[in-house]
Amino acid sequence: MSKALEGVKILDFTHVQSGPTCTQLLAWFGADVIKVERPGAGDATRAQLQDLPDVDSLYFTMLNHNKRSITLDSKTPKGKEVLWRLVKECDVLVENFAPGALARMGLTWEKIHEANPRMILASVKGFGPGRYEECKVYENVAQCAGGSASTTGFRDGIPMVTGAQIGDSGTGLHLALGIVTALFHRTVTGLGQKVDCAMQDSVLNLCRVKLRDQQRLDHGPLTEYSQFGEGIPFGDSTPRAGNDSGGGQPGRILKCKGWEHDPNAYLYFITQAAVWAPICDIIGEPGWKTDPGYATPKARLPHLNEIFTRIEAWTMKHDKFEAMDILNEYDIPCGPILSMKEIAADESLRKTGTIVEVEHPTRGTYLTVGNPIKLSASPSEVTRSPLLGEHTDEILRSVLKYTDAEVDEIAHSGVVGRIEKIAAE
Ligand code: CAO
């Protein structure tokens, strides 16, 4: 079975998380992703948060599957020559250097477009054009500047960042869509184009319901927020709403049996209007089905704290899985708070390839997240991340068609890290 992006060559000049997330997705769909790294060091994440000495970190391995690695110094004349050959050979250049770094290597859009008019240049930056455009940015900065932090956490606490990497991985996802869209457009125009994703913009796109609420504030209080029922007035910007549901069906995280000693013995419970009657029966409040103070969604809004306290009295009698089984019988939307330990052991996730075991020559076996996007005619297999410079010779010879003598000359000039061509293999 052929892969959806087979034949597409990606010059992967990305590092850390946002760019590598994008190119890993493209690699899973079958693109040939050639990761260019600096000799001797490579992507900084290889050495960050290392759990084993002198072994590529999980941070690196989990973001760079299915890629090939070439090491070259892009600041030397010979390194630049190799880089330009890659530009002419590849379909897409993906990068997430600090603003201006690519141009300082001589790789401006104008020159790239002139050398290879079909090439797509895809970039992640922290901010788009404007007052912060020159800034370096990491995940949490994007969460803060994109509206996520100001709307996450509890009303009476400080702004919070979320564990989901919406700034880095979220932007990588956006960029991947931009790239395949530009590849599709190229089939019509024959030309490449620039694809730019700013991390601030991507976070904001993922937080659009909070901008919705900002505008609703002009017309009255946000009645589905807990603070409405608590009688606390709203300020002039979207407040933090704890675990309130961001949609029209009120929801909360509720304690389940064992919460006293298990930090994840909780269930997300949604009081969807359509299943209000079975909710009342299950929690032992059948009178609330017809009581005018509780019978309609609007009537319930000022009583949400009381209602969820009553529901919690029921959930606390069951463990989160039992509660879920009982509620699902009645199509009541709910979900257990799963720990990473529970997720790692989840059989369904392993069966679908979303949790995968990977074998690595210096690390041994480790777990990773496989492709969450499933194509019926282009299945993804996860192969291990490359060792630093593992494919340098192979790429020089088979992709760039350098002769043996030329490869030797390049190696002796010190611009490619042939030494990193792995003893371990
Ligand atoms: N050979 C020689 N030099 C190389 C090279 C190679 N193969 N690969 C990279 N370099 C050089 C670059 O040319 C650049 O040098 P100059 O600054 O002298 O031009 C330098 O290495 C690295 O650039 P950088 O500024 O991007 O790296 P940094 O570690 O200082 O900053 C980061 C990292 C992430 C803050 C910055 O890249 C950035 O803001 N990127 C855009 C936003 C982004 O993607 N952030 C998310 C990262 S994931 O949390």
Side-chain angles (χ1 to χ4, degrees):
M1 215 180 282
S2 73
K3 295 281 171 70
L5 292 181
E6 209 164 287
V8 175
K9 284 200 193 78
I10 310 286
L11 199 178
D12 181 8
F13 226 159
T14 69
H15 65 157
V16 203
Q17 185 181 163
S18 62
T21 300
C22 165
T23 51
Q24 178 170 260
L25 273 168
L26 302 174
W28 278 332
F29 289 129
D32 180 8
V33 174
I34 298 168
K35 184 167 174 107
V36 177
E37 297 181 82
R38 205 198 308 237
D43 187 325
T45 59
R46 284 188 187 268
Q48 282 175 356
L49 311 178
Q50 274 179 331
D51 54 330
L52 299 169
D54 301 325
V55 170
D56 285 337
S57 70
L58 287 165
Y59 195 8
F60 177 83
T61 57
M62 292 177 71
L63 286 161
N64 289 285
H65 292 106
N66 298 53
K67 304 180 184 178
R68 299 200 274 177
S69 166
I70 175 173
T71 41
L72 66 85
D73 186 336
S74 63
K75 286 184 172 159
T76 62
K78 202 73 190 169
K80 282 200 170 96
E81 178 201 306
V82 177
L83 202 51
W84 278 106
R85 288 216 13 194
L86 279 166
V87 168
K88 287 180 187 151
E89 193 57 42
C90 291
D91 298 280
V92 188
L93 191 167
V94 193
E95 63 93 21
N96 67 310
F97 290 126
L102 196 69
R104 286 196 289 279
M105 289 179 199
L107 289 160
T108 59
W109 166 243
E110 291 71 27
K111 284 191 184 154
I112 291 169
H113 194 59
E114 193 187 323
N116 179 359
R118 288 175 59 75
M119 173 160 264
I120 290 153
L121 170 59
S123 301
V124 170
K125 296 289 165 262
F127 294 92
R131 62 177 164 158
Y132 301 125
E133 66 186 302
E134 297 301 331
C135 298
K136 289 189 175 187
V137 168
Y138 284 106
E139 170 70 44
N140 287 348
V141 174
Q143 288 198 26
C144 292
S148 177
S150 70
T151 54
T152 302
F154 287 91
R155 188 180 39 76
D156 50 0
I158 62 166
M160 298 285 281
V161 293
T162 160
Q165 303 284 282
I166 57 176
D168 281 337
S169 290
T171 308
L173 275 164
H174 282 88
L175 193 71
L177 178 60
I179 290 169
V180 291
T181 305
L183 281 168
F184 180 74
H185 196 218
R186 194 180 73 171
T187 62
V188 181
T189 63
L191 293 172
Q193 59 185 301
K194 275 176 75 186
V195 179
D196 290 317
C197 276
M199 293 168 72
Q200 180 187 36
D201 303 19
S202 299
V203 170
L204 178 58
N205 186 34
L206 298 173
C207 287
R208 65 175 51 224
V209 298
K210 299 297 178 182
L211 185 58
R212 172 201 69 193
D213 292 349
Q214 179 64 44
Q215 297 171 85
R216 289 171 60 219
L217 268 180
D218 292 341
H219 306 286
L222 305 171
T223 50
E224 77 284 13
Y225 281 50
S226 300
Q227 86 177 70
F228 173 70
E230 291 159 7
I232 295 162
F234 285 79
D236 61 1
S237 58
T238 308
R240 293 186 271 289
N243 292 316
D244 291 348
S245 149
Q249 310 285 351
R252 296 275 176 90
I253 288 183
L254 304 178
K255 289 172 185 158
C256 290
K257 199 159 126 188
W259 66 273
E260 298 91 336
H261 48 85
D262 175 356
N264 295 302
Y266 291 85
L267 181 86
Y268 202 91
F269 192 108
I270 299 173
T271 55
Q272 192 196 9
V275 285
W276 179 242
I279 291 172
C280 295
D281 288 335
I282 287 170
I283 63 171
E285 292 287 354
W288 283 1
K289 288 189 278 188
T290 47
D291 183 331
Y294 301 85
T296 64
K298 194 165 176 218
R300 289 195 283 278
L301 288 173
H303 308 301
L304 288 181
N305 279 0
E306 182 200 357
I307 289 169
F308 280 113
T309 303
R310 182 65 192 87
I311 297 173
E312 193 171 57
W314 179 84
T315 55
M316 282 165 72
K317 290 189 194 137
H318 304 272
D319 76 38
K320 62 190 175 188
F321 298 110
E322 250 169 47
M324 176 131 176
D325 286 345
I326 296 168
L327 298 168
N328 272 332
E329 286 278 308
Y330 299 91
D331 287 336
I332 297 168
C334 59
I337 307 305
L338 293 181
S339 68
M340 277 297 157
K341 190 175 175 194
E342 288 165 328
I343 287 172
D346 189 292
E347 283 189 12
S348 308
L349 291 174
R350 284 175 180 248
K351 237 184 204 158
T352 58
T354 297
I355 293 280
V356 195
E357 272 187 21
V358 182
E359 197 52 43
H360 187 277
T362 55
R363 158 170 294 283
T365 308
Y366 66 97
L367 280 190
T368 195
V369 185
N371 193 347
I373 305 167
K374 321 289 185 197
L375 298 191
S376 65
S378 176
S380 295
E381 295 129 32
V382 178
T383 59
R384 69 167 174 83
S385 58
L387 298 161
L388 181 60
E390 182 175 351
H391 306 98
T392 300
D393 279 24
E394 181 182 305
I395 290 162
L396 290 175
R397 284 176 219 279
S398 68
V399 179
L400 301 180
K401 310 290 182 226
Y402 280 106
T403 63
D404 289 351
E406 286 171 325
V407 171
D408 278 343
E409 190 206 326
I410 294 168
H412 285 124
S413 73
V415 298
V416 297
R418 267 177 114 194
I419 25 150
E420 286 137 4
K421 191 180 81 80
I422 300 327
E425 287 277 285

